[in-house]
Amino acid sequence: MVEPEPEQMACGAGQRLGAPETLGISTLDPGHRPPAMPPGRHVTIRVRMLDDTEEVFDISQKASGKVLFDLVCSHMNLIEGDYFGLEFQNHQKLMVWLDHIKPIIKQLRRPKHTILRFAVKFFPPDHAQLLEELTRYLFALQVKQDLSCGRLTCNDTSAALMVSHIIQSEIGDFEESQCRSHLLNNSYIPDQMPLIDKIMEFHSKNIGQTPSESDYQLLEVARRLEMYGIRLHPAKDREGTGLSLAVAHTGVLVFQGQTKINAFNWSKVRKLSFKRKRFLIKLRPDLNSSYQDTLEFLMASRDCCKVFWKICVEYHAFFRLFEEPKPKPKPVLFTRGSSFRFSGRTQKQVIDYVKESEFKKIPFDRKHSRVQHNSRLSPLPSPRHHEVPTDVNSSPRTTRTSPAHQSNGHEDRTALILMFFLRPAGVLPDSPLPSAHSGHGMVNGQRSLDLCSPFIDGRQPSPLTSPLLNDACSVRTDDEDEVRRKRYPTDKAYFIAKELLTTERTYVKDLEVITVSFQNAVGQDESTPDSLKNILQSTFEPLHKFHTGFLREVEQRLALWEGRSNAHIKGDYQRIGDVMLKNLQALKPLAVNLHKQSDVLLELEKVCRASQKLERLCRDFELQKVCYIPLNVFILRPLHRLTCYKQILERLCKHYPGTHGDFRDCRAALADVSEVVEQLQGSLIKLENFQKLLELKKDLIGIDNLFVPGREFIRLGCLSKLSGKGLQQRMFFLFNDVILYTSRGMTASNQFKVHGQLSLHGMTIRESEDEWGVPHAFTLVGQKQSVVVAASSLTEMGKWMTDIKAAIEMAKTSNGPSCDLLTDSVRDNKCPEDSAVDVESEDDMTASNTALEKPVPHRGNTMVHVCWHRNTSVSMVDFRVAVENQLSGNLLRKFKNSNGWQKLWVVFTNFSLFFYKSHQDDYPLASLPLLGYSVTVPSESENIHKDYVFKLHFKSHVYYFRTESEYSFERWMEVIRSATVPSGQARVLNSKESHPL
């Protein structure tokens, strides 16, 4: 991300909304500077802003509409400008949007006498998708205008509530005489006088609310209104009845007066077109619908039809497409219909762009046209892209609030606590979160059932953003803490034993997820069969009881080990082998419980298949913050824990000399645990494969029978598939008999829709980079079809080709499964992503072929989604290595631009870091998926003058973590690397080199 030079920033201070001069940010070009002006005669153009001020821009007549629009956004330093547009009245007295592609001289007949209005053009379904405070402020100004002119109609209560939020942002906290005088002198809604008392009542409840919070609450009320963002276009039906047409993010709407009487979702619309005065909506065939195939509406003129058709094209492209549609090649001889197309970034591109931006924001002034700016409301700095809005996590160091809010210590503490629980959002990534007053929130990228309510359309923030943990929520360390830590034993055996302690604490907490949380959830449901309750209780409660006692003994031993000054009085307690030997021998009678893990998985799957209610209960439980990884992974934890014991004992035996007093006990304990691990290894591999198939079943739509005897999962990840529309991002799933390719649209569900399958029987694979001119491309040649795909890097291509070749060889000699995985609906609709979408003809606007699925609550942070966003892949071997390298412990964390270190309890598992305030917390407060990150040690130029520090970085995200010892440093580096280094490619890496994950 390019940042303005400091000298330029100082001299051209870009004050948002009304700066006389600014370096600015272009919303359509990545250069972040005002667009280049084409040569030619210049004209002066006036633009009326949303705060009713007018700005003058000097621009070439030959310049396109995009150049002018970029200048306006640059002037305000507006990043999310794609939601807005410039509106003006053309020579036919129709309000139209400035076309970004056409030259200005062809759109404005008298540019000197035309005033363009800067206004909101695209209204998203949820204002939480607006990532910047300035953008939400501009939306709030638009709502204020719509209320004032009567366009946003609503009942008296909603109107009074919205006005209360507006005046809270303008005059601050409620004071009766001031509020009444202000309402008498300013009109915010038509016929305001009868509602003044109700407005004042609502205003009195907003005390302590900052201007940013007021904007957010205003939009929270407005977005629920039926007329929010609606611009009516008069029309008539075939019978001549007066109606109005409108377009929204969902599709085309039909109104009679102010009441919506019909809606045609984009998924149901096959084509939009117009012929003269007739506006035509062609629907997809639906046997259950009484509507005709084609609906016809009569508008005032052909130009009215075209104006509405254009905005429909733009709404469809902005909310439904992943990227800006490419222009059609111009016909050689003659043209038919309009060549208009949407120009600009789609909503997905806007969100992705802001997500990855790392420039410094400039504070903006909140200007209001009808009132004197209140001196108490100082300019609020806009939060950086990875911060939640100031209404949730306003830090006293970064945001200035009104005195009343600053004095409210309870609300400040609540905001700081809530900030710990909230992640930056997004389908999309990094969308802001509601305030503490609204009762909404996301935990660890998921819905919390007891704290949070669902986002609009069931969308969830992306799980791939950085963890948001504020300094105020963690313990800062100082020199005294450092001295105290150095008094601990320095023997490596102590740190190995301490790893046993820290990981055992996490393991006991994981057992409690099953024995307490999940058993309570299923136990309270009357439909839960006794067979499931009994097997859960008999399997996990004895294990939980045993490991609770084991943990207590380890804690006591470590406490004595650390107090070495009196160790000679109580005995030699600087050892751990005797504790492990005693408890591992006591664990042998519980071996039958370890063998029952497969029975638990099978029973849980059986009851979920038999009862939709129980299936929904399990799905809802997985959305709770306590269930931070897939439920089935918790069930397999006892088997994975044995492997961890084995590794710890191996390190102790390797460290101790043969004459050490603890060596004999450690070797005996290692022999015991190795015997149990060897007995369970075969069944563990099968269980891990079964668990992975269960997890993939929840992530995929359009498959019939994923569970087939003999089917094995091998690899999942992102590849680009070559189709008629070019390279399209697809998610591929490789099994030992078939390859599935899928896509994920911007729908209410986070699941992936299967588009096709390729059988491995008879398949060949070849490199195709030279053949197609696409980097890292290879071709999968099947018996029925061939598919050309491209990997994101040479390393990724090598992983895929190696695994696919090995799977093809196995398929030649095995009698594994070969059944068809696809449902009938997928077989009947082959490769919908390959069909062209025509939205540029006057007579045709084809909607997206991806229909909206029924919204299903679903986890958004599984490895499938991480691989999708990070454009990488993970194999089953990687999953197995990852579960063997779990780690827990206290780390000191520092952001790239922060000063102090913060103490956090960190758990590494499932390719992610999970952050807690302490090991006693029941659920993580944030998470950081590590796929795509690199781990290094800081360079001298980074001025990290501390020992045992490692650095995680991905694009512009940089985090420093500090451990307490050399051993801990090496272990954290080792597990973070080993979790994603493919089997067979593992190598010994110098701690100074970069380790891509």
Side-chain angles (χ1 to χ4, degrees):
M1 192 67 190
V2 179
E3 293 188 10
E5 297 295 330
E7 294 79 12
Q8 293 171 314
M9 292 284 286
C11 64
Q15 295 179 358
R16 296 181 173 191
L17 282 184
E21 191 176 334
T22 179
L23 194 64
I25 303 294
S26 167
T27 61
L28 301 180
D29 292 329
H32 310 299
R33 294 182 180 275
M37 192 68 64
R41 182 169 169 265
H42 281 223
V43 295
T44 299
I45 294 180
R46 291 182 295 165
V47 177
R48 180 167 294 159
M49 300 298 186
L50 282 165
D51 59 355
D52 284 340
T53 60
E54 283 192 11
E55 301 292 341
V56 178
F57 296 91
D58 190 50
I59 192 168
S60 170
Q61 284 186 333
K62 296 181 180 179
S64 65
K66 171 182 177 292
V67 174
L68 174 60
F69 183 72
D70 278 3
L71 276 176
V72 175
C73 294
S74 173
H75 174 76
M76 293 187 289
N77 200 24
L78 176 62
I79 312 305
E80 297 173 294
D82 304 80
Y83 290 100
F84 302 86
L86 294 174
E87 195 177 26
F88 67 96
Q89 191 176 57
N90 65 9
H91 63 283
Q92 297 164 328
K93 306 299 181 183
L94 297 174
M95 294 302 294
V96 297
W97 295 100
L98 187 71
D99 193 321
H100 285 182
I101 298 176
K102 288 184 179 180
I104 289 177
I105 195 172
K106 291 188 177 181
Q107 301 186 67
L108 306 180
R109 284 194 173 182
R110 304 174 65 191
K112 291 184 179 180
H113 303 282
T114 302
I115 299 179
L116 284 77
R117 292 176 59 253
F118 181 81
V120 177
K121 188 175 185 180
F122 301 112
F123 290 80
D126 188 356
H127 56 284
Q129 295 172 339
L130 307 174
L131 309 184
E132 282 226 298
E133 182 186 338
L134 173 60
T135 313
R136 296 191 294 276
Y137 171 54
L138 294 174
F139 266 73
L141 291 180
Q142 182 69 67
V143 170
K144 178 182 171 183
Q145 283 190 6
D146 292 348
L147 268 177
S148 178
C149 70
R151 179 186 288 161
L152 182 57
T153 58
C154 58
N155 59 41
D156 290 348
T157 301
S158 296
L161 183 58
M162 286 189 285
V163 173
S164 74
H165 290 304
I166 293 173
I167 62 176
Q168 173 70 22
S169 68
E170 294 184 0
I171 68 174
D173 289 341
F174 176 76
E175 198 280 315
E176 185 173 0
S177 60
Q178 181 190 24
C179 180
R180 185 176 297 276
S181 174
H182 183 75
L183 289 172
L184 290 174
N185 294 325
N186 298 279
S187 177
Y188 294 98
I189 52 177
D191 196 19
Q192 178 176 290
M193 290 300 294
L195 295 179
I196 285 183
D197 290 336
K198 183 174 286 189
I199 294 171
M200 293 176 62
E201 180 185 352
F202 283 132
H203 186 202
S204 66
K205 299 177 181 178
N206 294 337
I207 292 177
Q209 192 168 279
T210 66
S212 177
E213 289 176 339
S214 298
D215 292 344
Y216 204 94
Q217 297 301 330
L218 172 64
L219 296 177
E220 180 69 21
V221 178
R223 74 179 180 90
R224 302 178 186 277
L225 302 177
E226 191 165 72
M227 297 301 292
Y228 174 65
I230 296 300
R231 303 294 183 261
L232 297 177
H233 297 256
K236 295 181 179 180
D237 62 12
R238 287 182 174 178
E239 285 73 33
T241 305
L243 302 170
S244 295
L245 299 180
V247 62
H249 68 282
T250 55
V252 181
L253 311 177
V254 182
F255 284 81
Q256 193 162 36
Q258 301 291 324
T259 304
K260 183 172 68 176
I261 62 173
N262 216 334
F264 303 102
N265 290 338
W266 295 125
S267 59
K268 297 179 181 178
V269 175
R270 184 168 61 88
K271 182 188 295 185
L272 292 179
S273 60
F274 67 95
K275 293 181 180 178
R276 298 183 179 88
K277 296 182 180 182
R278 292 180 298 140
F279 186 82
L280 305 175
I281 303 176
K282 295 184 180 180
L283 302 176
R284 299 184 185 279
D286 188 355
L287 299 178
N288 299 323
S289 175
S290 59
Y291 297 122
Q292 306 172 30
D293 178 62
T294 302
L295 300 174
E296 182 178 307
F297 297 90
L298 189 67
M299 305 189 82
S301 65
R302 177 188 180 277
D303 291 321
C304 291
C305 276
K306 188 171 184 178
V307 167
F308 183 61
W309 175 78
K310 280 185 175 183
I311 190 62
C312 287
V313 171
E314 293 183 308
Y315 252 85
H316 172 269
F318 184 76
F319 287 108
R320 295 280 288 183
L321 301 185
F322 285 163
E323 57 186 24
E324 177 184 355
K326 302 297 185 292
K328 280 186 175 180
K330 291 185 178 180
V332 178
L333 298 177
F334 59 87
T335 61
R336 177 177 178 269
S338 172
S339 61
F340 174 77
R341 68 180 178 89
F342 171 74
S343 173
R345 296 178 300 197
T346 64
Q347 187 190 34
K348 182 180 185 299
Q349 288 176 311
V350 174
I351 292 173
D352 291 343
Y353 172 80
V354 179
K355 244 192 1 173
E356 298 176 4
S357 300
E358 275 287 349
F359 46 83
K360 302 291 184 184
K361 303 294 182 62
I362 303 172
F364 65 91
D365 286 323
R366 293 173 170 267
K367 295 186 177 180
H368 306 284
S369 60
R370 295 181 173 86
V371 297
Q372 183 72 22
H373 185 67
N374 193 311
S375 61
R376 292 190 299 162
L377 301 178
S378 55
L380 294 176
S382 177
R384 293 174 61 176
H385 78 279
H386 59 272
E387 297 175 348
V388 297
T390 54
D391 53 289
V392 175
N393 74 325
S394 297
S395 170
R397 298 179 295 114
T398 58
T399 303
R400 285 171 281 177
T401 60
S402 63
H405 189 63
Q406 289 176 340
S407 63
N408 192 335
H410 173 72
E411 290 197 13
D412 285 347
R413 288 192 299 273
T414 303
L416 289 172
I417 293 170
L418 278 178
M419 180 278 307
F420 236 115
F421 292 83
L422 300 177
R423 296 271 317 274
V427 153
L428 301 173
D430 279 15
S431 62
L433 295 169
S435 72
H437 304 289
S438 66
H440 292 63
M442 297 296 294
V443 179
N444 192 29
Q446 310 161 32
R447 279 190 209 88
S448 166
L449 297 185
D450 56 349
L451 177 68
C452 314
S453 61
F455 271 45
I456 189 77
D457 292 342
R459 295 178 188 269
Q460 295 179 351
S462 168
L464 310 180
T465 52
S466 308
L468 188 67
L469 297 174
N470 189 280
D471 291 348
C473 296
S474 302
V475 178
R476 278 180 176 270
T477 64
D478 51 26
D479 295 336
E480 182 180 346
D481 292 331
E482 191 169 351
V483 171
R484 184 180 58 82
R485 285 199 309 276
K486 290 183 178 179
R487 294 175 185 161
Y488 287 166
T490 56
D491 184 10
K492 182 179 178 180
Y494 164 77
F495 294 105
I496 298 175
K498 191 168 184 179
E499 180 183 334
L500 171 66
L501 169 64
T502 56
T503 53
E504 190 71 12
R505 284 172 172 168
T506 297
Y507 174 55
V508 171
K509 282 291 184 183
D510 288 349
L511 285 177
E512 289 173 358
V513 172
I514 302 296
T515 59
V516 179
S517 304
F518 186 61
Q519 282 191 226
N520 287 344
V522 297
Q524 293 172 3
D525 193 293
E526 297 179 354
S527 62
T528 304
D530 292 337
S531 58
L532 178 60
K533 296 178 183 178
N534 293 337
I535 197 170
L536 285 172
Q537 182 176 0
S538 62
T539 302
F540 285 96
E541 289 195 0
L543 290 172
H544 177 256
K545 182 179 179 181
F546 165 78
H547 285 282
T548 301
F550 180 32
L551 173 61
R552 190 182 306 111
E553 289 189 37
V554 175
E555 288 176 333
Q556 293 171 352
R557 176 56 56 87
L558 264 292
L560 292 171
W561 197 334
E562 291 167 0
R564 27 179 207 172
S565 61
N566 59 2
H568 65 281
I569 300 175
K570 298 182 179 181
D572 183 13
Y573 289 114
Q574 296 184 16
R575 57 198 181 103
I576 197 66
D578 57 331
V579 176
M580 295 199 70
L581 177 61
K582 169 191 168 186
N583 282 276
L584 288 176
Q585 288 177 343
L587 185 62
K588 284 185 177 181
L590 296 176
V592 63
N593 297 73
L594 300 174
H595 285 281
K596 289 167 66 175
Q597 308 301 313
S598 59
D599 297 335
V600 176
L601 280 181
L602 290 170
E603 181 65 24
L604 187 59
E605 172 64 12
K606 184 179 75 173
V607 297
C608 287
R609 284 187 178 184
S611 170
Q612 290 185 353
K613 184 177 180 181
L614 277 173
E615 182 183 16
R616 186 166 56 252
L617 184 148
C618 293
R619 187 172 62 235
D620 291 343
F621 179 79
E622 282 201 319
L623 294 176
Q624 290 193 45
K625 49 197 173 186
V626 71
C627 190
Y628 63 99
I629 54 178
L631 176 60
N632 290 333
V633 177
F634 284 107
I635 294 177
L636 295 185
R637 275 287 196 251
L639 299 177
H640 295 149
R641 187 59 183 157
L642 292 176
T643 306
C644 296
Y645 293 150
K646 182 172 179 285
Q647 292 175 342
I648 287 172
L649 287 165
E650 285 173 344
R651 284 195 290 274
L652 283 169
C653 290
K654 186 177 180 180
H655 167 68
Y656 284 139
T659 56
H660 194 281
D662 203 28
F663 176 76
R664 181 178 299 177
D665 288 338
C666 287
R667 187 172 60 179
L670 176 60
D672 287 342
V673 75
S674 297
E675 179 183 353
V676 179
V677 169
E678 186 176 354
Q679 292 174 356
L680 295 171
Q681 189 61 34
S683 60
L684 177 59
I685 292 175
K686 294 179 181 178
L687 280 175
E688 288 176 334
N689 182 70
F690 180 53
Q691 182 270 326
K692 185 54 59 179
L693 293 178
L694 286 173
E695 188 177 328
L696 293 179
K697 178 188 173 185
K698 300 173 185 176
D699 285 312
L700 296 176
I701 299 175
I703 54 175
D704 272 333
N705 46 354
L706 191 59
F707 304 108
V708 175
R711 174 164 291 135
E712 296 179 11
F713 164 72
I714 299 176
R715 178 176 291 277
L716 64 85
C718 257
L719 293 170
S720 296
K721 179 177 175 291
L722 188 63
S723 66
K725 294 176 64 178
L727 288 172
Q728 303 289 322
Q729 184 182 6
R730 295 289 175 260
M731 195 73 182
F732 279 71
F733 298 83
L734 173 63
F735 301 91
N736 63 335
D737 62 321
V738 68
I739 299 176
L740 298 178
Y741 54 94
T742 69
S743 70
R744 194 187 80 168
M746 294 180 68
T747 64
S749 170
N750 277 321
Q751 293 167 291
F752 288 80
K753 187 170 184 178
V754 178
H755 288 308
Q757 64 178 1
L758 298 170
S759 174
L760 294 182
H761 294 280
M763 177 183 286
T764 59
I765 182 173
R766 67 172 187 271
E767 293 190 32
S768 309
E769 184 169 335
D770 296 334
E771 179 181 350
W772 294 98
V774 178
H776 320 308
F778 56 95
T779 304
L780 304 174
V781 183
Q783 294 179 338
K784 297 181 180 179
Q785 67 176 121
S786 299
V787 173
V788 180
V789 294
S792 59
S793 65
L794 184 62
T795 303
E796 278 295 306
M797 185 180 83
K799 294 178 186 177
W800 278 105
M801 292 191 68
T802 300
D803 283 349
I804 293 175
K805 286 178 180 178
I808 291 173
E809 290 300 317
M810 286 190 296
K812 290 179 181 178
T813 58
S814 68
N815 296 321
S818 59
C819 59
D820 194 354
L821 276 170
L822 305 187
T823 60
D824 292 336
S825 60
V826 175
R827 284 190 289 267
D828 294 340
N829 186 17
K830 294 293 183 181
C831 301
E833 73 274 15
D834 295 336
S835 58
V837 176
D838 180 8
V839 296
E840 296 175 357
S841 166
E842 177 175 303
D843 298 317
D844 185 20
M845 194 204 83
T846 306
S848 168
N849 285 306
T850 304
L852 281 174
E853 302 290 340
K854 183 179 179 181
V856 177
H858 192 69
R859 293 182 65 88
N861 63 342
T862 61
M863 279 304 102
V864 183
H865 299 85
V866 177
C867 289
W868 173 263
H869 287 285
R870 299 274 168 86
N871 200 16
T872 185
S873 67
V874 178
S875 71
M876 189 64 203
V877 176
D878 298 331
F879 280 105
R880 289 181 181 134
V881 172
V883 298
E884 294 175 0
N885 287 278
Q886 301 170 37
L887 193 60
S888 307
N890 286 310
L891 289 178
L892 303 176
R893 197 245 16 225
K894 177 183 179 298
F895 288 131
K896 179 171 62 175
N897 298 319
S898 63
N899 296 321
W901 294 84
Q902 302 166 18
K903 188 176 182 180
L904 301 169
W905 178 261
V906 183
V907 174
F908 175 78
T909 187
N910 211 40
F911 302 90
S912 300
L913 295 178
F914 295 91
F915 299 92
Y916 303 72
K917 288 177 67 177
S918 76
H919 68 85
Q920 296 173 335
D921 292 352
D922 291 328
Y923 48 82
L925 308 173
S927 65
L928 179 64
L930 292 179
L931 290 183
Y933 271 77
S934 293
V935 56
T936 61
V937 295
S939 63
E940 292 293 332
S941 61
E942 293 173 273
N943 296 320
I944 306 294
H945 304 300
K946 299 289 183 181
D947 295 330
Y948 315 131
V949 176
F950 63 92
K951 168 184 168 185
L952 285 173
H953 54 102
F954 171 70
K955 296 185 178 178
S956 58
H957 302 281
V958 178
Y959 306 96
Y960 300 99
F961 293 93
R962 184 170 148 210
T963 65
E964 64 182 353
S965 66
E966 183 179 2
Y967 172 81
S968 302
F969 170 80
E970 292 174 351
R971 281 292 292 142
W972 280 103
M973 294 283 283
E974 177 186 355
V975 297
I976 291 175
R977 291 200 304 266
S978 66
T980 50
V981 174
S983 178
Q985 299 183 24
R987 55 196 174 94
V988 179
L989 299 169
N990 186 285
S991 63
K992 294 276 185 185
E993 67 179 311
S994 177
H995 312 289
L997 299 183

